[in-house]
Amino acid sequence: MTSTEPTTPAAVDLIRWFDDVSIDDVAEVGGKNASLGEMYRELRRAGVVVPNGFATTSGAYRRFIAENGLAETIATALDGWDGEDTDDLADRARRIRRAILAADLSPDLRAAVAEAYRRLSTEAGGDEVEVAVRSSATAEDLPEASFAGQQETYLMIHGDAGVLDAVRRCFASLYTARAISYRRHLGIDEDDIALSAGIQRMVRADKATSGVMFTLDTDTGHRGVVYITAAWGLGENIVQGRIVPDAFHVHKDRLAAGHLPLVGKEVGSKELRMVFDAGADRVVNERVEPSDRERLCISDAEALDLARWAVAIEDHYSAIRGVDTPMDIEWAKDGDTGELFIVQARPETVHSRRTTSPVLEIHQLGERGAVLCEGAAIGERIAAGTTRVVADPADMASLLPGEVLVAETTDPDWEPIMKRAAALVTERGGRTSHAAIVARELGIPAVVGVPRARAILGSGAEVTISCAEGEVGVVYEGRLAFDVQRVPVAELPVTRTDVMVNLGDPALAFRTALLPVAGIGLARMEFIIASHVGIHPLALLRPDEVAPEDQTAIERLTLAYTRPADFLVDRIALGVGRLAAAFWPRPVILRFSDFKTNEYAGLLGGAAFEPAEENPMLGWRGASRYHHPGYRDGFELELEAVARVRQRFGMTNLQVMIPFCRSPEEGRRVIDVLAANGLVQGEDGLEVYVMTELPANVLQADEFAEVFDGFSIGSNDLTQLVLGVDRDSEVVAELFDERSPAVTRACAMAIASAKRHGRRIGICGQAPSDYPDFAEFLVDRGIDSISVTPDAVLRTIETVAAAEAAAGPGSPLAV
């Protein structure tokens, strides 16, 4: 868009167009003035679509304050405030805002704004185009502080008078009680504050969709992904936490490499749609039809386009500041044209402030209590306290420091009271709502989107808020014991043996990936099938063979899919893709499903396809199913999902592992099935491992080494089968011991065989972290990796380091 200067000379200092390269006092990034015009043009060159507009300059605001003598009014009104009395502050803030709203905009500022608005209207092909009038304060949206929602935005404004009134209201919004309190809390002097009002052509998202996205995972701070939220209508419902939006994760590195790594898709409830009511000349909320609530409101292609733009914006701001700068970005889709637009971008302010040498903080419950309610977990912490239901921020005095705040929702008016709370529970909101953003900034756990939380919890109840168990936040009855480990990552010992992690729950992927581990040593496919699919694979391929009630349930779950089996493929690909994305480029070893027949039968529709076995533990499981005519079709759905992760998503760090493989010949048959489904051993770095959990795997280890790329000792099954001890029997439980000479000898034999053939070998079990002598034994024998559960990682690193020191330079490890 070509820029022309307004004809009024005085207007040069008062307004600037977004695409005017001479702007240098509107956008302030990380304490550095940067040309907004240069940003605008560079982002447009990168393909980012930003609606044009203009802004009053910070100089115009300062001139407005000076011409109306408001500096003294503001100073007098704030003089004597003790920094604590919120009711007193509210009165002082109202006096300031009344003075600003009563003041006159100078004739030249009015003329400049009116002339620019007319030009914007002409370019849009109309007389009085609708615009959004957005506030941008010089101390707002810096990397050090979000000021989330502190200043106002006005939507669907039209006409000279409407625009001028909105500009004045933006000026006044600098002096809400919440904004004054927040600046005082951060030590920002009132004399350093100025505000620009940006006037931007309105994107008619009220007829389509809009949302917020971050160039990191908002819960964990994982930098490898773009997190996108989306909802019907204008985005205010997302920001204010009135709805739970759709959510998407896109992996940055694989996106840049040309792949389509949409590794996360979640349908939100999206109960409300904010639209413009032309008759009332204002925005209103309307209920969303159930059919629209149950489907995603943007396409996969649109999510990927938004992610590309987000990365371009992050790159641009990072280059300006000279440091990595994660971004918080608002986007909108125009319902008239179908175009996507970026309407606002600012530095993310929570995770980006963490030090480069972080302290690893792990919260873990020491006991469990009755579950009172659940919602979306915000943060990774645990807190306990007394509940306090607060209906209005004006009642903030009722919340005592250290209590758990329970509310319907929050907005910026709640921030002074949120600072007192040990934790937060809200009935509405999602992961990018106001409550979630501020809770992260304050470092308190929050559970949002909890229906009837106020009625369930009430005031005066002793509760524990746990956000350390994945994506679901839990409110437990009573004050439960919990532990907090704080370990400076830089102080952890470095081990020659790889310490890896066992992980099956994709919800924990981004959080667990922050641990100092070499990758995932064991990812369980059956966990994803059980928790994210719940349907027997063959029931999706042959639904006519299952019971009528199961058919009905399957039809309901797969309604959005033309081919019912795509439900399983999609769910597995998203779950496995998230694991691989979180740990990229570290290896992720996925064990194919290892359900036993009775467990398969427990899946929806499974009873029609599974035989009744006397001893399922030793029956039709693992490799024997994968090539068998009675199940191969079902296994091939798993392979279709894995191929999507490796090929479409580009996650070539994903490796696969075959469980319960009774002979090398059986292993070859399974590898042939993989190849027939596009997963060729050795192609694009694909490695195929085998579980070492049967005596046959040890006794024929040399032959297995000719088939597979590596081994993983499954210490639980190996111990059970070597000793002949049912690991689930309480009667013989005391006989189950991984340190038995028979078991350790089997482990030593397997390790030696792997070494002879140049194959990697690891162990996935708890014993090395529980028994330091067992870890020392494995290290001494030269095992390549030890994989344990997340809670055992830190002590395992220390145990392995000590074992390596004890083993000395003469151990096989050093060879």
Side-chain angles (χ1 to χ4, degrees):
M1 185 176 295
T2 303
S3 172
T4 58
E5 288 290 342
T7 56
T8 307
V12 172
D13 298 324
L14 299 176
I15 68 103
R16 293 287 190 187
W17 285 90
F18 290 172
D19 60 354
D20 183 346
V21 297
S22 64
I23 297 183
D24 61 4
D25 66 346
V26 175
E28 189 164 320
V29 183
K32 299 179 181 179
N33 284 333
S35 167
L36 183 61
E38 289 175 359
M39 291 184 196
Y40 182 91
R41 292 185 180 194
E42 181 170 326
L43 293 177
R44 290 292 289 252
R45 283 195 296 269
V48 181
V49 182
V50 185
N52 197 19
F54 63 95
T56 63
T57 64
S58 54
Y61 168 82
R62 291 190 172 97
R63 180 170 165 180
F64 167 77
I65 294 294
E67 288 176 346
N68 288 279
L70 291 170
E72 183 177 351
T73 302
I74 293 168
T76 300
L78 294 179
D79 183 46
W81 179 51
D82 62 8
E84 297 293 335
D85 190 332
T86 53
D87 290 336
D88 178 39
L89 176 61
D91 289 337
R92 295 168 185 263
R94 275 192 293 270
R95 293 202 301 272
I96 296 172
R97 292 198 304 278
R98 280 198 297 266
I100 292 174
L101 292 172
D104 291 326
L105 299 175
S106 63
D108 52 353
L109 177 57
R110 295 173 66 88
V113 170
E115 181 179 347
Y117 173 66
R118 286 193 293 273
R119 171 187 147 185
L120 190 64
S121 297
T122 299
E123 291 175 350
D127 294 329
E128 293 187 340
V129 65
E130 289 92 355
V131 295
V133 183
R134 301 177 181 276
S135 304
S136 180
T138 52
E140 181 184 20
D141 298 333
L142 300 180
E144 297 79 19
S146 71
F147 282 76
Q150 296 293 340
Q151 276 72 63
E152 298 295 343
T153 291
Y154 300 98
L155 305 177
M156 298 300 298
I157 304 299
H158 57 92
D160 291 358
V163 172
L164 290 166
D165 179 61
V167 167
R168 184 166 25 223
R169 285 187 285 161
C170 284
F171 289 170
S173 72
L174 260 182
Y175 289 96
T176 60
R178 65 185 185 242
I180 297 168
S181 174
Y182 200 60
R183 290 196 293 270
R184 178 71 66 91
H185 174 70
L186 293 175
I188 297 173
D189 194 285
E190 295 298 329
D191 292 337
D192 295 333
I193 296 297
L195 184 140
S196 167
I199 293 86
Q200 187 178 55
R201 181 180 171 184
M202 188 72 199
V203 178
R204 292 306 301 267
D206 59 312
K207 299 180 180 181
T209 59
S210 61
V212 179
M213 56 184 174
F214 292 80
T215 58
L216 46 64
D217 178 60
T218 53
D219 286 331
T220 65
H222 193 294
R223 300 289 182 90
V225 293
V226 176
Y227 177 65
I228 304 168
T229 61
W232 301 112
L234 299 172
E236 190 69 7
N237 284 331
I238 296 178
V239 176
Q240 296 300 337
R242 299 188 187 103
I243 59 154
V244 177
D246 296 338
F248 305 81
H249 278 99
V250 179
H251 192 260
K252 294 179 188 175
D253 181 274
R254 300 290 78 199
L255 183 68
H259 296 284
L260 306 175
L262 184 54
V263 298
K265 291 191 291 186
E266 300 174 33
V267 178
S269 54
K270 307 184 296 292
E271 304 94 329
L272 300 173
R273 182 196 330 251
M274 184 174 283
V275 299
F276 179 64
D277 184 336
D281 196 26
R282 62 187 179 91
V283 293
V284 297
N285 264 319
E286 62 182 24
R287 304 296 298 182
V288 177
E289 291 296 321
S291 59
D292 284 337
R293 292 179 57 183
E294 294 169 3
R295 66 185 179 96
L296 294 167
C297 61
I298 59 173
S299 68
D300 290 0
E302 288 171 328
L304 291 165
D305 280 342
L306 287 170
R308 292 185 187 97
W309 294 357
V311 172
I313 292 169
E314 180 182 57
D315 289 345
H316 181 77
Y317 275 76
S318 297
I320 290 173
R321 296 190 63 237
V323 295
D324 184 29
T325 304
M327 297 297 293
D328 170 356
I329 302 161
E330 294 180 22
W331 63 271
K333 180 177 180 180
D334 193 297
D336 291 330
T337 67
E339 293 178 282
L340 291 171
F341 292 90
I342 298 299
V343 295
Q344 184 166 297
R346 56 194 173 209
E348 190 272 346
T349 60
V350 179
H351 299 289
S352 58
R353 289 187 288 173
R354 292 181 175 176
T355 61
T356 55
S357 181
V359 173
L360 191 62
E361 185 172 296
I362 301 175
H363 289 232
Q364 187 174 7
L365 279 174
E367 57 182 326
R368 290 289 191 277
V371 175
L372 299 177
C373 52
E374 296 178 336
I378 304 301
E380 306 164 36
R381 300 183 176 186
I382 300 173
T386 305
T387 58
R388 183 68 56 196
V389 175
V390 180
D392 189 279
D395 301 327
M396 67 177 67
S398 64
L399 181 81
L400 301 178
E403 289 188 325
V404 175
L405 172 61
V406 183
E408 180 182 13
T409 187
T410 70
D411 59 30
D413 289 329
W414 288 79
E415 288 175 25
I417 189 173
M418 292 171 71
K419 294 171 186 172
R420 300 182 185 181
L424 172 67
V425 181
T426 66
E427 295 181 349
R428 296 181 178 273
R431 299 187 185 281
T432 56
S433 64
H434 174 270
I437 291 172
V438 175
R440 291 189 193 100
E441 187 167 322
L442 296 175
I444 61 173
V447 182
V448 301
V450 182
R452 300 183 61 251
R454 291 174 294 174
I456 293 170
L457 299 177
S459 291
E462 298 295 309
V463 298
T464 299
I465 310 297
S466 175
C467 293
E469 302 172 64
E471 292 186 331
V472 176
V474 184
V475 181
Y476 291 102
E477 183 178 16
R479 289 179 178 259
L480 304 180
F482 63 92
D483 297 319
V484 182
Q485 285 181 283
R486 294 181 179 89
V487 180
V489 173
E491 296 179 10
L492 287 171
V494 176
T495 62
R496 292 167 290 172
T497 308
D498 286 339
V499 175
M500 304 179 80
V501 68
N502 300 335
L503 187 64
D505 187 355
L508 297 173
F510 293 120
R511 176 176 303 164
T512 307
L514 301 179
L515 292 171
V517 294
I520 297 180
L522 174 64
R524 297 179 177 90
M525 176 72 84
E526 63 268 17
F527 181 94
I528 295 173
I529 292 176
S531 60
H532 293 259
V533 180
I535 306 173
H536 193 287
L538 295 180
L540 291 164
L541 292 170
R542 305 201 294 270
D544 54 315
E545 297 181 26
V546 306
E549 61 272 20
D550 288 349
Q551 285 187 31
T552 302
I554 291 170
E555 288 172 2
R556 185 175 65 252
L557 290 170
T558 62
L559 191 61
Y561 295 85
T562 303
R563 184 182 74 142
D566 286 337
F567 172 76
L568 179 144
V569 174
D570 199 41
R571 292 296 184 93
I572 291 178
L574 291 173
V576 174
R578 184 164 177 158
L579 293 174
F583 281 82
W584 174 267
R586 292 170 287 175
V588 171
I589 302 174
L590 173 71
R591 186 181 72 188
F592 288 118
S593 59
D594 192 25
F595 287 123
K596 293 171 274 298
T597 51
N598 60 317
E599 294 167 337
Y600 269 116
L603 297 172
L604 185 61
F609 303 101
E610 297 298 327
E613 294 186 307
E614 290 295 330
N615 189 357
M617 178 67 73
L618 299 179
W620 194 34
R621 61 177 288 199
S624 64
R625 296 181 66 97
Y626 303 158
H627 61 86
H628 193 286
Y631 188 71
R632 176 170 170 163
D633 289 352
F635 178 58
E636 288 181 334
L637 295 180
E638 293 184 36
L639 300 184
E640 185 178 343
V642 170
R644 181 184 298 181
V645 173
R646 285 184 55 86
Q647 296 161 15
R648 183 188 300 179
F649 296 172
M651 301 295 170
T652 51
N653 61 326
L654 178 65
Q655 312 298 351
V656 296
M657 184 155 63
I658 311 301
F660 228 77
C661 186
R662 294 176 170 97
S663 70
E665 179 56 33
E666 188 171 59
R668 290 188 182 93
R669 291 176 187 159
V670 174
I671 287 175
D672 287 344
V673 176
L674 266 65
N677 286 270
L679 293 170
V680 179
Q681 188 177 22
E683 193 171 282
D684 290 328
L686 176 63
E687 295 180 344
V688 183
Y689 287 72
V690 65
M691 289 290 296
T692 302
E693 55 193 340
L694 307 172
N697 302 139
V698 176
L699 297 174
Q700 286 190 281
D702 291 331
E703 290 86 347
F704 277 102
E706 295 174 359
V707 178
F708 293 101
D709 299 295
F711 300 84
S712 181
I713 298 171
S715 58
N716 289 337
D717 271 355
L718 185 63
T719 301
Q720 173 176 244
L721 295 170
V722 166
L723 298 180
V725 175
D726 183 352
R727 70 188 192 190
D728 296 323
S729 170
E730 296 180 3
V731 179
V732 293
E734 63 182 29
L735 301 177
F736 187 93
D737 186 357
E738 297 98 326
R739 296 171 296 171
S740 161
V743 178
T744 57
R745 186 171 301 175
C747 290
M749 290 171 63
I751 294 170
S753 293
K755 293 297 177 182
R756 280 197 301 273
H757 292 272
R759 299 290 189 257
R760 282 185 60 83
I761 185 166
I763 187 170
C764 48
Q766 211 54 19
S769 62
D770 291 340
Y771 306 120
D773 57 335
F774 189 57
E776 186 171 342
F777 157 76
L778 293 170
V779 168
D780 185 65
R781 290 298 180 273
I783 200 161
D784 294 303
S785 64
I786 294 175
S787 191
V788 296
T789 55
D791 61 302
V793 163
L794 298 182
R795 69 173 180 268
T796 300
I797 291 174
E798 294 172 348
T799 297
V800 169
E804 289 178 348
S811 73
L813 179 70
V815 177

